[in-house]
Every structure is written in C-alpha cells, then in structure tokens.
Amino acid sequence: PAGQAAGASAGVYRRDPAAAMPWRPLAALLVLGGLCWAIFSVLAHPPLEGIGPGEVGVRSNRLTGTSTQLGEGAVLVLPGVHQLRRISLREQTYQAAPDGASPFQSIEGMSFNVDLTVRYALDRSRSSTTALLLPEDIGGEVIAPRVQGVIYKTFARYGMREIFSTKRAEIQQAIETELAPLLAADGVQLRAVTLGKIQLPPEYRAGLERLLSEELATEKMKYTLELKEKLVRQTELEALAEKARRETQ
C-alpha cells in the first residue's frame, strides 16, 4: 500500500507539468506573431520623417523630456516616443491689413489704410526653444498681435499729411525700433518694415486734390506773370536799342 501510494504520488507529480504546458506554445506563437507583425510594420512603414531645405527639426522625446535640434534629411521618429516639429527658417512676410479696409487712424481721427509689410524670420540659434514655446501658427498668433499693437499707436501720433508724405521714413523707423525687441523676445528676427501705398480717407483726398489744384493755378499764374515781365523787359530793351541807333545816325 505504501508503494502504491508513492507510485500514485509520483504519477501525480509527473502529470502536473504536462497539464501546465499547453499554453506555453500558444504564448510563444503569439509573441512570435507580434514580433513578425512589428518587423513587417517597420519595414512597410519606416518610422522616418524628412526635414526639407530651409527647415530645422526639433525632435522631442516623451520619455526623457529632452529635445534635439536636427538639420535637413531623414529623421527617426518612433511612434509613442518621439514628436517632431518642423520650423521654417525662410524669410516670411506679414501684411498689416487687407485691401479695402481702413483700420488705422491719424492724430486728427481720420481713418485710412496702408500697404504695410513686415518681413521676419525665426532665429536659428533659438529654434529648439521656439518649437517648445511658440504655437503652430506663428504668423497669426505671434506676429500679428505684436505688429498690430505697435502700428496702431504709432500712426495715431502723426497727422495725415505726415503719414502720407513728410514723415514716412520716420514712421517706418519708429515701427522697426519698437517692434524688433518684442519679436526678439519670442525668438523672431525682424528683417524690415516697408510702408507702401496709402489709401487716403475720401475727405482728405478731396481736400488734397483742391490744394493741388490751387497750387497748380498759383504756379500757372506765377509763370504767366514772369513771362509777361520778360516780354515787357524785352520790349523796353528793344526800344532803348532803337533809340540809341537813331541817336548815332
């Protein structure tokens, strides 16, 4: 009986591993299948993205929290691990106001529009910080409010005639001087501010046309008087010459 009990115990001991083994081949097959699928996915869709000419890439690692600045070429971007942001380093432009609008005002309160162009580019040396801090729409969310905040109050300090003609260069320089440090704080370099065509308010344009007409009329009168004076002088000289000729005969 003791031997039978021992044999029975041994039989039970031998059957336990056999009973636990069937799930292991299945697990191995699942792991192998997942590995093959992962390899196929990587080969079919390589985790590579490109950075084009005139761009810089900033790859952020979600696991470590670090960022790496990358130049032109292919970049490894692992799903779930990396995040890549491309930043254009090319010069870009911003138009202050659309055609047909009159958003600005002079010191007299006259509304007008101006073809004002701002040329800017991102600071390459600060692109890593820029990628983390600036929004995707840099032009609309950073450049636009900075430019609008400066030009509105700058134009409001000048009269319409100064804006139109006499102080254009001074106004342009004032805008550049105030705008440059504001953009630099956001990692943006101001290249230039250009004042183009000015759409004058109707009342000012009408007054300017009257003024020009009066100036033209004045110039015409002045020219006519000068011409008559020359004719009179010429007649006097001819008379003196004729008198002298008679006296010598």
Side-chain angles (χ1 to χ4, degrees):
Q4 292 177 358
S9 299
V12 172
Y13 177 77
R14 286 193 299 269
R15 284 196 300 270
D16 286 343
M21 287 297 293
W23 67 268
R24 293 188 177 181
L26 180 60
L29 289 175
L30 291 175
V31 171
L32 182 61
L35 181 61
C36 291
W37 176 255
I39 294 174
F40 172 78
S41 299
V42 169
L43 294 177
H45 305 284
L48 298 175
E49 296 191 27
I51 300 175
E55 293 181 333
V56 64
V58 178
R59 185 179 60 189
S60 303
N61 190 314
R62 293 189 176 96
L63 300 180
T64 63
T66 58
S67 298
T68 305
Q69 181 173 316
L70 304 166
E72 178 183 350
V75 179
L76 178 65
V77 181
L78 297 177
V81 178
H82 295 140
Q83 181 179 11
L84 179 67
R85 181 177 181 184
R86 300 174 185 84
I87 302 174
S88 176
L89 299 177
R90 298 186 180 93
E91 185 174 279
Q92 302 177 62
T93 59
Y94 169 76
Q95 297 290 334
D99 292 337
S102 298
F104 310 114
Q105 283 194 338
S106 65
I107 196 172
E108 304 95 341
M110 293 184 177
S111 299
F112 67 97
N113 196 1
V114 58
D115 183 13
L116 187 146
T117 303
V118 177
R119 294 164 43 216
Y120 67 94
L122 299 186
D123 188 347
R124 180 185 292 268
S125 64
R126 297 178 56 188
S127 57
S128 297
T129 306
T130 300
L132 297 175
L133 299 179
L134 293 183
E136 291 289 341
D137 185 10
I138 297 176
E141 298 184 37
V142 176
I143 305 300
R146 300 288 188 274
V147 173
Q148 297 292 339
V150 170
I151 60 179
Y152 273 92
K153 62 181 181 181
T154 300
F155 283 131
R157 297 198 298 262
Y158 292 88
M160 198 66 246
R161 187 177 182 86
E162 294 173 330
I163 296 170
F164 176 67
S165 59
T166 61
K167 293 190 176 180
R168 288 173 62 94
E170 179 182 319
I171 295 171
Q172 181 173 303
Q173 184 61 46
I175 294 174
E176 291 181 355
T177 301
E178 188 171 354
L179 184 60
L182 295 177
L183 296 182
D186 292 319
V188 179
Q189 295 177 334
L190 176 64
R191 297 291 176 81
V193 174
T194 305
L195 288 179
K197 181 181 178 181
I198 295 178
Q199 299 176 14
L200 298 173
E203 63 273 20
Y204 185 84
R205 183 165 55 249
L208 184 62
E209 290 175 353
R210 287 194 301 269
L211 179 62
L212 290 175
S213 298
E214 292 173 0
E215 290 179 353
L216 288 174
T218 302
E219 289 294 325
K220 182 178 180 180
M221 180 63 70
K222 182 180 178 181
Y223 173 77
T224 302
L225 292 175
E226 290 178 352
L227 181 60
K228 288 183 177 180
E229 289 178 358
K230 289 179 180 179
L231 291 175
V232 170
R233 182 59 179 167
Q234 181 179 356
T235 302
E236 291 177 350
L237 292 175
E238 289 177 354
L240 291 174
E242 179 64 23
K243 180 179 178 181
R245 185 179 62 80
R246 291 176 181 176
E247 291 177 351
T248 56
Q249 289 180 350

